[in-house]
Amino acid sequence: MSNVTWHGQRALVTGASSGIGAAIARRLAGSGATLVLTGRDADRLAAVAASCNSADGRVSSLAGDLADPGFREKLAAEARSRMDGIDLLVNNAGISMNARFETLEPEVFRTICEINFFAAVDLTRLMLDDLKKSAGRILVMSSLTGLVGTPTRTAYSASKHALHGFFNALRVELRPFGVGITLVCPGYVQTPIRTRALLGDGAVQGRDQAAGRRMLSADTVAAASLRAAWKRRRLLVLGRETRLARILSLLAPGPLERILDHATR
Ligand SMILES: NC(=O)c1ccc[n+]([C@@H]2O[C@H](COP(=O)([O-])OP(=O)(O)OC[C@H]3O[C@@H](n4cnc5c(N)ncnc54)[C@H](OP(=O)(O)O)[C@@H]3O)[C@@H](O)[C@H]2O)c1
């Protein structure tokens, strides 16, 4: 369905150089959307833009670090001038972690919140007038950890919970303008995010601790997320285990904590 509906829509996609963001970019481009893509790695970003198979200049990219507030401003200005506004903001860029809180350096905690939360808040602020004008949509890539506190992911979980607090409040403020906000919560997705996750001292983990598990594909998540955003759904919880954990967190938090503790020891 997303192959038809996004025709002519203008979208800014963060975290488009890899994983779920790249899959979202390809789906949007395939449906005729005009795109500005961003990520840190210029070569991988250019490769994703090229794989969008758009020879007519509908897909452009700007590489940079979303931890830098100056880059966020530059990106917003570029998106506005290249597309003359925006209909869809995809706040997808993110980094993960794997460390218990007592070993987590405070700067690493802040870095995770800066990218996963504050960059999304800032970009939303910078594009707000455009989104109000178009009665557009904001798609926010959260996680199961945005609904359920997860051991060894304290900063990641906090940054994702913060997304829910912020965007649920903003959705109400934006009701008069018809802006839709969709929070997506997948469980495990097959992407390099865990290999690139930060350890307590900020070093890159360099391996996928969940390798071998059954996971959703990035494209499955992209397709479902875009469908939900199109329908302006508030929340999409993706994956059987994720939905079960969500229900347990509401109905049986004690047993769920024991399961999570056991699984991360
Ligand atoms: N994979 C999962 O299991 C899973 C589950 C639930 C939620 N999620 C969420 O899904 C989103 C996408 O993750 P993914 O799994 O697709 O991971 P990924 O393949 O590692 O992609 C992450 C993307 O975020 C970008 N990014 C990271 N730090 C950045 C920074 N400082 N500035 C600019 N861009 C930055 C990366 O850019 P570069 O590669 O160019 O650095 C990359 O494009 C994240 O928000 C993640 O929390 C993932």
Side-chain angles (χ1 to χ4, degrees):
M1 178 188 312
S2 58
N3 274 346
V4 182
T5 50
W6 297 98
H7 186 82
Q9 298 268 304
R10 302 156 297 174
L12 169 57
V13 183
T14 73
S17 52
S18 178
I20 297 168
I24 287 176
R26 289 191 194 101
R27 284 208 162 249
L28 284 169
S31 73
T34 299
L35 300 176
V36 171
L37 309 179
T38 190
R40 269 177 312 189
D41 186 313
D43 291 342
R44 273 198 283 112
L45 189 62
V48 172
S51 74
C52 285
N53 287 330
S54 161
D56 54 6
R58 277 188 296 108
V59 180
S60 61
S61 60
L62 184 68
D65 190 342
L66 280 173
D68 171 10
F71 176 69
R72 297 170 196 164
E73 285 182 17
K74 184 174 168 199
L75 176 66
E78 285 281 324
R80 185 173 303 114
S81 79
R82 288 186 196 180
M83 299 189 288
D84 193 27
I86 185 175
D87 302 289
L88 172 68
L89 170 61
V90 182
N91 281 312
N92 164 77
I95 51 169
S96 190
M97 58 168 289
N98 190 10
R100 298 188 84 80
F101 180 60
E102 64 263 24
T103 69
L104 185 59
E105 295 288 343
E107 313 91 80
V108 180
F109 198 115
R110 282 180 188 276
T111 298
I112 289 166
C113 290
E114 193 62 46
I115 296 161
N116 293 3
F117 178 61
F118 286 111
V121 171
D122 253 9
L123 216 46
T124 301
R125 185 202 324 278
L126 291 162
M127 300 310 302
L128 200 57
D129 285 345
D130 303 84
L131 288 162
K132 281 156 81 172
K133 213 176 286 171
S134 63
R137 296 169 170 84
I138 306 173
L139 170 52
V140 185
M141 201 50 67
S142 177
S143 162
L144 169 62
T145 61
L147 300 170
V148 174
T150 310
T152 71
R153 306 277 188 283
T154 46
Y156 185 72
S157 210
S159 68
K160 295 296 187 183
H161 272 71
L163 288 172
H164 288 255
F166 171 71
F167 281 106
N168 284 334
L170 184 66
R171 185 188 299 107
V172 186
E173 290 188 15
L174 293 181
R175 267 176 73 90
F177 303 95
V179 177
I181 298 183
T182 302
L183 286 143
V184 179
C185 298
Y188 285 100
V189 187
Q190 189 65 62
T191 76
I193 194 164
R194 285 164 297 276
T195 303
R196 309 168 79 198
L198 303 183
L199 299 172
D201 61 1
V204 171
Q205 172 162 255
R207 68 181 179 91
D208 185 342
Q209 79 275 11
R213 282 186 77 112
R214 229 183 45 205
M215 299 190 198
L216 296 167
S217 76
D219 190 55
T220 300
V221 175
S225 303
L226 287 171
R227 249 189 328 266
W230 181 256
K231 293 178 182 166
R232 299 178 192 272
R233 281 182 60 179
R234 293 176 182 82
L235 178 68
L236 176 65
V237 180
L238 275 174
R240 211 176 320 146
E241 277 182 6
T242 314
R243 283 193 289 272
L244 180 63
R246 160 85 162 147
I247 291 166
L248 281 177
S249 74
L250 298 171
L251 300 181
L256 177 61
E257 281 178 8
R258 282 195 287 281
I259 293 168
L260 291 171
D261 186 20
H262 181 72
T264 51
R265 284 268 164 204

